Amino acid sequence: GNSHKMASMLLSLLLLSMFLDSSHAERVATCALHTTSYGLTAQSKYYNLSKTKTSDECCALCAADTKCQVFTWHTSGSCTLATQPTFSNGPMGQTVSGSKNPLPPAPPPHPPAPSPSCPQPSPLPPAKKGSPNIILFLTDDMDEMLGGWNAMSKSTTLLTQQGATAKNWMIHTPVCCPSRSELLTARYFHNIRNPNPTGISISCVMKCFYSYGLDRGCMHVNVDGINFYTELYFAPHLRNAGYSVGVFGKHLNNDNPNCPPEGVEKWLVNGGGNYYNPEFALDGQMVQFNNGTYADYSTSVIGNISMAWIKEKLQGEVPFMAYIAPKAPHIQDGPGWPMALPAPWYNNSFPGLKAPRTPNYNMSCTDHHWLIRQQPPMTMEQAMYSDMLYRSRHQALLSVDDIVEAVVGEVVSAGKEDMTYFLFTSDHGYRFGQFSMPQGKWNVYDNDLRIPMVIRGPGIKANTTFDYVASQVDTMPTVLGMAGVATPETMDGRSIVPMIVTDKDQAPAATYRHIVSVAEDLGTSVDQVQTELGATWRTEQLIEYYGLGDVVRYEHLEDTDNNTFRALRVVDASAPEGQQNLMLAEFTSWANWNFTNPADEFELFDLDKDPYQMTNIYKTASSDLKARLHDSLDKLYKCRGSDCN
């Protein structure tokens, strides 16, 4: 259909985006078979997978095997052999393939498709001098506490060792769509959620009723009712500052428009979708990648198309911001024992890898919220599949690591390293057997809340860490600060730029202007702004979650409507001993949607003494401490804009 032709046409024009360097062409010249990096693959249906150092060695394996008719060698070293090829109309990134039979010539590009009926973007104003490029990588369900970053060896070299790593970066809501919505708008959940658990309000009675019941928005996010794209979305602020904005990959779980929203120039978006044969909204048209292009693998599609756009932008003078959000390492949703799905060339990586056996692994805790109390111990089968999931997530993340390497490499090759910021983060954490739950998020514990945040760029000292308590609500104010844009009044978060860009002489001009502006607001000098802002920075982080109903994963009930909670996460080195590292959580149900009435259950943990949150001290804590924490929590729960800080 038209979408198939559109994909073929667009991706045929993206040959330059392949991650295939010229040295590969030199190596395949000695291969006796017909070789190509275009239109052919053995990765879809192979009978043998092995490791070889070069494409020549892979070619030789196929030539010596009477069963083999086609091979594909990937830059990771994987060599796949197949009895018949799979053809496509697009380039196969990172691969060399060969066949014993002559290959058809590469097809000519399709004629341009009719332009989609999307509104033309507003004219791009000139950017201010010294506006840096900004690239944000956002993974899905990638934990920090349980080893998720261990798969990211290339990102460790290119980002961690060259930038600053947060030690107390958390999400505000431990589930996909709310967390992403909070990142994209810099608003806390209570400022973007539905008015009640059904989503019903007087103004939307008619449109909120569907054949499957009442619309709960995007996991309780009121996308339509709050003018998400027209008033709260981050992109128009960057475009008004002269930035080209490209959005690639998973966006919201639903309520994603086909056309780019205001402020966005390039739009390749879905709600996560499938790892294989994925479908995206591409600048106004729905396009499915199911013809062999980029192995029909979602991470490769996102990586190659975002790379092509970035490469084009690097050749010009207009600053850009790229949001790159692979599905990995989220599970491929479905019945039974759903797993993350890696690229074929990484199927055999991390042999024998198992989830860490933390002290709260398969632990029953009778003093916790009832959802935890009622968990039966995991069976051997459930634990086995949890370990398989852990391994599959690491495998899927290897392709994300490849994207980071390719994007950073392209920026460095273009000589724009000193004018580009890179941020890498996730939408929430995860679990693998903690409190006897085999997988998932949806809870108030640190393994669900803590996420990676690594930032590299001019003026940021290499291989450093920072302790400031922050969340995804602070991500876009930070991005805007890098671009020299003040945090809009619609946003609840704050920019951390003045506290991490410490080498002011290396900061781009636009970033430096932002630091100067913050210093002036504080009544201090640029030299003292890090100290002064750090002294006033928050030590208490608000957490909010509204249960999604009964969610069963790996035969365990892991969420329900009365798993609705608000929590206060305290990290304050200046507080008295025993109060420096606390978590207070208040649990209720949908019936108490606004916490108008007292909560039903409470949890309180001292994480200095109990880092795995196994002992609830709420009943034994002093009344004064509980009252103070409750008052702070209640105040943050009602905050808006600058009141939140």
Side-chain angles (χ1 to χ4, degrees):
N2 290 335
S3 63
H4 180 91
K5 293 179 181 178
M6 181 67 176
S8 299
M9 182 275 291
L10 289 172
L11 294 170
S12 295
L13 297 175
L14 295 178
L15 284 168
L16 291 177
S17 71
M18 293 185 297
F19 305 138
L20 187 64
D21 60 35
S22 59
S23 62
H24 297 158
E26 296 171 1
R27 287 199 293 268
V28 300
T30 61
C31 178
L33 305 186
H34 305 277
T35 59
T36 183
S37 60
Y38 188 95
L40 171 73
T41 181
Q43 292 175 343
S44 297
K45 298 179 180 179
Y46 60 86
Y47 67 86
N48 181 280
L49 187 150
S50 55
K51 287 284 186 180
T52 63
K53 293 183 178 179
T54 67
S55 57
D56 275 352
E57 293 178 10
C58 186
C59 174
L61 288 179
C62 183
D65 188 338
T66 57
K67 184 178 178 181
C68 178
Q69 294 298 313
V70 61
F71 77 88
T72 291
W73 181 81
H74 186 269
T75 54
S76 66
S78 67
C79 173
T80 53
L81 309 182
T83 57
Q84 57 184 3
T86 299
F87 292 97
S88 75
N89 292 322
M92 298 296 296
Q94 298 178 277
T95 66
V96 174
S97 295
S99 173
K100 289 182 178 178
N101 300 311
L103 301 173
H110 289 282
S115 298
S117 56
C118 292
Q120 292 299 309
S122 58
L124 188 66
K128 292 182 179 180
K129 184 179 180 180
S131 296
N133 305 312
I134 304 165
I135 300 172
L136 170 65
F137 301 100
L138 176 66
T139 51
D140 195 353
D141 287 13
M142 183 181 180
D143 67 279
E144 181 202 33
M145 290 189 64
L146 301 175
W149 190 258
N150 293 345
M152 311 297 288
S153 59
K154 298 171 183 176
S155 299
T156 297
T157 300
L158 296 170
L159 300 182
T160 308
Q161 295 176 3
Q162 299 298 319
T165 300
K167 296 178 68 175
N168 289 307
W169 204 278
M170 307 175 198
I171 50 80
H172 174 60
T173 303
V175 72
C176 299
C177 196
S179 181
R180 289 166 179 270
S181 300
E182 292 151 8
L183 183 150
L184 294 167
T185 65
R187 279 197 158 197
Y188 284 126
F189 201 2
H190 60 268
N191 290 328
I192 58 173
R193 64 178 172 86
N194 282 333
N196 54 55
T198 65
I200 280 292
S201 65
I202 296 300
S203 62
C204 76
V205 167
M206 294 304 295
K207 73 174 183 177
C208 290
F209 192 81
Y210 295 91
S211 57
Y212 294 102
L214 299 175
D215 177 25
R216 294 192 179 123
C218 192
M219 300 181 180
H220 300 307
V221 177
N222 188 15
V223 177
D224 290 334
I226 60 173
N227 300 319
F228 185 92
Y229 293 104
T230 57
E231 295 182 10
L232 303 180
Y233 199 58
F234 78 95
H237 303 292
L238 285 170
R239 188 165 183 85
N240 290 339
Y243 274 75
S244 292
V245 178
V247 178
F248 307 90
K250 181 174 178 179
H251 195 248
L252 304 184
N253 293 59
N254 49 269
D255 293 320
N256 296 310
N258 286 351
C259 290
E262 179 65 29
V264 177
E265 174 186 302
K266 189 68 177 178
W267 185 249
L268 177 85
V269 160
N270 66 10
N274 296 322
Y275 276 101
Y276 285 91
N277 302 324
E279 187 176 37
F280 293 89
L282 177 58
D283 294 336
Q285 296 189 5
M286 294 306 299
V287 178
Q288 186 172 24
F289 294 83
N290 60 356
N291 62 355
T293 302
Y294 307 130
D296 299 330
Y297 186 61
S298 177
T299 309
S300 294
V301 171
I302 294 165
N304 277 278
I305 294 180
S306 62
M307 270 286 294
W309 186 81
I310 289 171
K311 188 167 187 174
E312 174 191 332
K313 295 301 172 185
L314 286 169
Q315 295 171 358
E317 298 300 322
V318 175
F320 67 87
M321 187 273 178
Y323 164 106
I324 304 174
K327 177 184 179 71
H330 196 285
I331 60 170
Q332 180 61 63
D333 290 301
W337 311 93
M339 300 282 161
L341 300 182
W345 44 88
Y346 288 134
N347 272 333
N348 294 330
S349 303
F350 302 108
L353 183 66
K354 293 184 177 181
R357 269 44 176 177
T358 57
N360 56 2
Y361 178 85
N362 212 13
M363 175 65 66
S364 298
C365 292
T366 58
D367 60 359
H368 285 44
H369 178 250
W370 84 267
L371 188 64
I372 306 301
R373 292 198 301 270
Q374 62 86 37
Q375 294 293 329
M378 291 190 299
T379 65
M380 292 182 63
E381 181 183 38
Q382 292 163 355
M384 177 190 72
Y385 281 111
S386 180
D387 285 336
M388 291 174 63
L389 171 62
Y390 188 77
R391 181 189 178 205
S392 73
R393 286 164 52 92
H394 275 62
Q395 293 170 331
L397 282 169
L398 291 175
S399 294
V400 180
D401 208 30
D402 288 341
I403 293 179
V404 173
E405 179 186 45
V407 169
V408 174
E410 196 63 53
V411 171
V412 172
S413 296
K416 299 292 182 69
E417 180 182 7
D418 61 347
M419 283 296 291
T420 304
Y421 286 102
F422 304 91
L423 302 89
F424 189 111
T425 190
S426 173
D427 59 358
H428 46 72
Y430 215 71
R431 77 172 76 90
F432 306 94
Q434 284 64 45
F435 300 114
S436 300
M437 293 182 286
Q439 59 111 299
K441 48 265 187 179
W442 311 297
N443 288 112
V444 75
Y445 309 109
D446 264 20
N447 55 273
D448 302 296
L449 304 181
R450 289 185 174 273
I451 51 173
M453 174 56 88
V454 185
I455 308 176
R456 169 185 171 176
I460 298 175
K461 291 183 179 179
N463 204 25
T464 57
T465 61
F466 58 94
D467 295 332
Y468 311 112
V469 176
S471 79
Q472 293 301 46
V473 174
D474 301 306
T475 301
M476 282 307 170
T478 298
V479 166
L480 293 178
M482 291 169 173
V485 179
T487 302
E489 292 181 359
T490 60
M491 294 186 173
D492 300 330
R494 303 173 76 182
S495 166
I496 66 165
V497 167
M499 299 189 296
I500 61 171
V501 180
T502 55
D503 189 346
K504 308 296 191 297
D505 293 338
Q506 299 298 316
T511 311
Y512 184 79
R513 286 192 294 270
H514 169 66
I515 297 172
V516 170
S517 176
V518 173
E520 290 175 347
D521 290 343
L522 291 172
T524 189
S525 67
V526 170
D527 291 338
Q528 292 298 312
V529 67
Q530 179 187 16
T531 301
E532 293 295 327
L533 184 58
T536 63
W537 194 262
R538 74 176 74 91
T539 57
E540 299 173 336
Q541 179 62 53
L542 173 66
I543 311 296
E544 291 179 82
Y545 181 77
Y546 298 84
L548 300 180
D550 291 351
V551 177
V552 177
R553 292 285 174 85
Y554 287 23
E555 301 177 335
H556 281 243
L557 178 67
E558 300 199 345
D559 191 20
T560 189
D561 69 302
N562 71 352
N563 185 43
T564 294
F565 56 80
R566 62 182 187 177
L568 191 71
R569 187 67 177 85
V570 179
V571 181
D572 185 1
S574 66
E577 185 177 354
Q579 300 181 24
Q580 298 176 354
N581 194 4
L582 300 175
M583 160 76 81
L584 170 69
E586 301 180 350
F587 295 86
T588 190
S589 66
W590 287 353
N592 191 22
W593 186 250
N594 295 309
F595 283 86
T596 306
N597 300 316
D600 300 315
E601 296 195 48
F602 302 86
E603 291 180 355
L604 178 61
F605 303 100
D606 179 354
L607 281 87
D608 282 335
K609 297 179 180 178
D610 180 24
Y612 293 96
Q613 295 164 286
M614 298 168 62
T615 303
N616 181 5
I617 62 172
Y618 186 82
K619 290 183 178 179
T620 59
S622 71
S623 299
D624 289 345
L625 175 62
K626 290 187 287 189
R628 180 175 61 80
L629 294 174
H630 169 81
D631 289 346
S632 294
L633 173 57
D634 193 58
K635 180 180 178 181
L636 283 173
Y637 180 72
K638 298 171 182 176
C639 77
R640 184 181 296 268
S642 59
D643 292 341
C644 296
N645 298 297

